[in-house]
Amino acid sequence: MGFAKKEYEFLSEIGLSSENLGCYVNGKLKANGPVVSSVNPANNQTIAKVVEGSIEDYEEGMKACSEAAQIWMQVPAPKRGEIVRQIGDALRDKLQQLGRLVSLEMGKILPEGIGEVQEIIDMCDFAVGLSRQLNGSIIPSERPNHMMFETWNPLGIVGVITAFNFPCAVLGWNACIALVCGNCVVWKGAPTTPLITIAMTKIVGEVLEKNNLPGAIFTAFCGGAEIGQAIAKDKRIHLVSFTGSSKVGLMVQKTVNERCGKCLLELSGNNAIIVMDDADIKLAVRSVLFAAVGTAGQRCTTCRRLILHESIYQTFLDQLVEVYKQVKIGDPLEKGTLLGPLHTPTSQKNYEQGIEKIKSQGGKILTGGSVIESEGNFVQPTIVEISPDADVVQEELFAPVLHVMKFKTFEEAIKINNSVPQGLSSSIFTGKPEIIFKWIGPLGSDCGIVNVNIPTNGAEIGGAFGGEKATGGGREAGSDSWKQYMRRSTCTINYGNELPLAQGINFG
């Protein structure tokens, strides 16, 4: 059966059709749950149908995954890295099609869609190198004829629950690392981006099949809260990585903690850019535009608060409002579009309610502030002048709404930056070394990402990604994030004939 629209026909190049099975269980596509529609947010029309997974599908998948884990963890790490390298190459072959699908189904503009898939490819490259560097430490022992060291072993199975805004990149942050660390992966993609989940899974599955490995090493489900709750409760899953709202993340954490599992949380952000009086205004304006408008304000690292020094406040705002008015809004697949739709009609309604709340708390709309009447979920990029003390500033409105406020001293700017419950990303624009080093120091930003003269968003994969406070404290992607996906053991070997005890204890 063909697609309803000619422009959707490219989806057949990545194994999709007008009707799709939404689970990858024991190396086969199957599904016995409800049928849902994948919807294009630019016009709210159906792209294709997907059969979601049932709890029975989940149980079958987990049984096979548990068996595959015993095989996969015994494969040498560099060999596991070779499989991930092949996954990266397979993604390269379909980069344009996958990027186009991300843009079509999620709503972000095409360059961002392609960039998201490239991010997974980059993670594959990173993980390949990492597969030869999962090193432990040699620790000097105080006891003669004893050797003490650390070893790292796989956890077993890692569960990954991802959100709509980065429907495949976050999988890459987790799965690439988890796989080279020797873990099987169970993925539940976002319910509103099932085609991306299926297309990605098919590519991974083909690589496993080509290498005569169990397909259950990578198990995937399209589905809603029922599947997510099953993952959180499942004692067979040693680590659950969850990306989403702080509210749902806390529920997941509570469930996982009750069974003494490990949890890695990437939750809400309420990110600020501070612009000092010596800042490069042109550079800062361009950065704020990307940080606040990119992905229609639906990144966890989106800039939601702009903190301007009083001496440059009006000059900066005048320039920013002018560039906002030039932003091209429209079909995310069209060349030149900078602002696509919000992901769902509910997101659009939340934007409307958020604007009303802002106005009721004294916020002044400088530009934007309205829904755009169309078939899609389009809204105007919005700048709001508001007090940092307004309650609404404490909240994350997942839309292109920027709260602007002014400050007099650097210390005041730091206080405003740190005054919200979330602690993901932050940035300051200045050329003064004394300001820069205070900003990144113990009395500076309290966020997990602390930037200088760049936007709050667009993080590279080489660093650990994550935040503090209500953002959840998790770290994914680069640096030493891999340690969360492994079990650390301290080993002491006595190769002598005596039994000296630590701390000089003499026992009998």
Side-chain angles (χ1 to χ4, degrees):
M1 188 175 173
F3 291 98
K5 291 197 170 190
K6 193 175 191 320
E7 55 263 40
Y8 298 163
E9 289 179 359
F10 77 93
L11 297 174
S12 62
E13 298 175 33
I14 43 177
L16 298 173
S17 62
S18 58
E19 297 178 357
N20 304 274
L21 297 173
C23 300
Y24 187 66
V25 171
N26 198 15
K28 291 182 174 61
L29 286 165
K30 65 176 296 183
N32 295 285
V35 178
V36 298
S37 294
S38 168
V39 175
N40 179 354
N43 56 26
N44 284 310
Q45 294 176 8
T46 296
I47 303 167
K49 301 281 189 183
V50 173
V51 184
E52 292 187 326
S54 64
I55 284 298
E56 290 74 24
D57 294 326
Y58 175 81
E59 282 302 325
E60 183 182 342
M62 282 305 303
K63 183 176 182 296
C65 188
S66 297
E67 293 171 0
Q70 301 303 309
I71 299 169
W72 183 240
M73 65 174 57
Q74 295 183 73
V75 175
K79 298 293 185 185
R80 299 191 298 251
E82 167 59 18
I83 301 303
V84 173
R85 186 195 66 77
Q86 292 179 33
I87 293 170
D89 283 349
L91 292 171
R92 279 185 180 90
D93 290 342
K94 300 295 184 183
L95 172 60
Q96 296 299 319
Q97 296 94 323
L98 288 167
R100 194 170 184 83
L101 171 57
V102 171
S103 182
L104 174 67
E105 192 174 37
M106 184 273 153
K108 63 180 64 175
I109 62 173
L110 185 56
E112 288 187 288
I114 293 170
E116 174 165 354
V117 181
Q118 182 62 50
E119 193 164 350
I120 311 173
I121 295 168
D122 293 343
M123 277 303 308
C124 288
D125 290 346
F126 178 87
V128 173
L130 178 65
S131 70
R132 294 180 181 271
Q133 300 177 68
L134 302 172
N135 304 326
S137 300
I138 302 294
I139 304 163
S141 174
E142 67 183 67
R143 291 171 281 186
N145 299 323
H146 282 60
M147 168 68 77
M148 185 162 55
F149 56 93
E150 289 180 341
T151 61
W152 295 87
N153 285 296
L155 293 173
I157 300 176
V158 171
V160 183
I161 303 173
T162 56
F164 75 85
N165 60 333
F166 279 87
C168 57
V170 175
L171 169 74
W173 296 351
N174 286 277
C176 296
I177 303 300
L179 287 170
V180 298
C181 288
N183 302 296
C184 288
V185 172
V186 176
W187 179 30
K188 190 193 90 66
T192 51
T193 55
L195 297 181
I196 296 166
T197 302
I198 296 166
M200 285 292 304
T201 297
K202 282 192 168 190
I203 287 173
V204 176
E206 286 168 5
V207 171
L208 293 173
E209 185 178 354
K210 187 175 74 174
N211 287 273
N212 298 312
L213 287 164
I217 289 169
F218 188 88
T219 300
F221 301 99
C222 295
E226 188 179 38
I227 299 294
Q229 288 165 3
I231 289 172
K233 291 176 182 176
D234 200 327
K235 291 182 179 179
R236 293 167 292 189
I237 298 176
H238 302 82
L239 168 68
V240 176
S241 170
F242 173 85
T243 300
S245 69
S246 293
K247 180 182 176 182
V248 178
L250 288 173
M251 293 164 59
V252 170
Q253 185 180 48
K254 183 174 184 291
T255 302
V256 175
N257 284 349
E258 283 173 352
R259 61 175 177 83
C260 294
K262 296 173 71 176
C263 211
L264 196 166
L265 300 176
E266 295 289 355
L267 309 178
S268 304
N270 192 351
N271 316 293
I273 289 178
I274 297 171
V275 184
M276 298 297 293
D277 54 353
D278 71 316
D280 181 330
I281 300 295
K282 186 178 178 182
L283 179 67
V285 167
R286 285 178 57 207
S287 297
V288 171
L289 179 68
F290 174 58
V293 175
T295 325
Q298 297 171 112
R299 292 187 183 220
C300 49
T301 51
T302 290
C303 178
R304 309 202 182 279
R305 297 176 296 143
L306 177 59
I307 307 166
L308 299 173
H309 190 274
E310 60 181 3
S311 67
I312 51 98
Y313 183 83
Q314 200 56 52
T315 301
F316 192 98
L317 265 187
D318 289 345
Q319 292 187 33
L320 186 63
V321 168
E322 188 59 34
V323 296
Y324 259 59
K325 290 177 180 177
Q326 296 169 26
V327 169
K328 182 183 175 183
I329 305 168
D331 186 338
L333 290 168
E334 284 185 8
K335 189 175 181 180
T337 299
L338 289 182
L339 181 64
L342 293 177
H343 186 54
T344 63
T346 300
S347 303
Q348 191 183 52
K349 191 168 288 186
N350 290 341
Y351 167 88
E352 284 187 286
Q353 292 171 349
I355 293 297
E356 290 308 309
K357 194 171 184 181
I358 287 165
K359 289 177 180 176
S360 72
Q361 294 184 19
K364 178 184 175 184
I365 307 295
L366 301 181
T367 187
S370 299
V371 163
I372 297 171
E373 293 301 325
S374 72
E375 291 179 321
N377 312 317
F378 295 95
V379 300
Q380 295 175 336
T382 303
I383 301 175
V384 177
E385 200 171 39
I386 196 166
S387 165
D389 299 323
D391 289 343
V392 72
V393 175
Q394 300 287 308
E395 303 167 5
E396 180 190 45
L397 177 57
F398 224 54
V401 177
L402 180 64
H403 297 122
V404 184
M405 50 208 76
K406 66 175 69 172
F407 70 93
K408 292 183 179 180
T409 67
F410 172 62
E411 289 70 26
E412 183 187 0
I414 292 284
K415 185 178 178 182
I416 295 171
N417 179 79
N418 296 350
S419 66
V420 296
Q422 309 85 353
L424 178 52
S425 187
S426 57
S427 187
I428 194 167
F429 282 78
T430 183
K432 296 177 180 176
E434 66 273 24
I435 296 293
I436 292 171
F437 286 101
K438 285 180 182 176
W439 169 244
I440 65 174
L443 298 180
S445 171
D446 63 0
C447 296
I449 298 170
V450 184
N451 292 336
V452 178
N453 295 331
I454 64 168
T456 50
N457 54 351
E460 298 178 37
I461 61 99
F465 182 94
E468 300 300 319
K469 303 190 294 187
T471 302
R475 291 298 185 276
E476 295 169 338
S479 187
D480 65 350
S481 299
W482 64 271
K483 292 179 178 178
Q484 296 168 104
Y485 302 85
M486 300 198 82
R487 171 171 55 81
R488 184 204 309 242
S489 299
T490 301
C491 306
T492 305
I493 298 174
N494 179 2
Y495 56 89
N497 298 317
E498 303 295 327
L499 189 64
L501 300 178
Q503 293 83 49
I505 293 172
N506 186 2
F507 193 77

